[in-house]
């Protein structure tokens, strides 16, 4: 079964959405009526293709991932905090 819910409802009913996924349902999360994410059971996600290998392949050709991430973290630490709109 596929269940649809807006982002605001998903945020306030996360545990319920996870129970639905554990029961075998898919949960489509929508923003302004447009699907932005889908939660699927782990077994189904693993069976959809070589997604992990594709993710790992994104880092091919990056010489020093650790150094890049350290620079990103340092840069973020120097920035002033700012409000984030989650709605």
């Amino acid at each position: 079964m596929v269940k649809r819910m807006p982002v605001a409802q998903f945020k306030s009913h996360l545990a319920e959405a996870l129970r639905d996924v554990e029961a075998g349902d898919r949960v489509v999360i929508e923003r302004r009526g447009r699907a932005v994410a889908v939660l699927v059971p782990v077994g189904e996600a693993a069976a959809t293709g070589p997604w992990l290998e594709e993710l790992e392949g994104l880092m091919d050709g990056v010489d020093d991932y650790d150094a890049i991430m350290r620079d990103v973290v340092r840069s973020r630490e120097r920035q002033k905090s700012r409000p984030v709109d989650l709605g």
Side-chain angles (χ1 to χ4, degrees), residues 5-22 27 29 39:
M5 63 175 54
V7 171
Q9 181 184 352
F10 173 71
K11 289 190 316 188
S12 62
H13 294 91
L14 175 59
E16 176 186 339
L18 291 176
R19 279 192 297 273
D20 291 342
V21 172
E22 287 174 328
V27 177
I29 303 158
L39 295 178

Side-chain angles (χ1 to χ4, degrees), residues 70-80:
R70 280 191 298 273
D71 289 344
V72 168
V73 169
R74 275 190 230 113
S75 172
R76 297 291 172 136
E77 288 172 344
R78 288 190 300 262
Q79 292 179 356
K80 295 180 181 177

Side-chain angles (χ1 to χ4, degrees), residues 43-87:
E44 186 176 331
T48 60
W51 60 272
L52 182 59
E53 290 82 9
E54 290 174 16
L55 287 177
E56 290 172 348
L58 291 175
M59 295 312 301
D60 290 347
V62 175
D63 293 330
D64 194 353
Y65 177 78
D66 292 333
I68 292 169
M69 292 312 299
R70 280 191 298 273
D71 289 344
V72 168
V73 169
R74 275 190 230 113
S75 172
R76 297 291 172 136
E77 288 172 344
R78 288 190 300 262
Q79 292 179 356
K80 295 180 181 177
S81 63
R82 59 180 186 247
V84 176
D85 178 17
L86 299 175

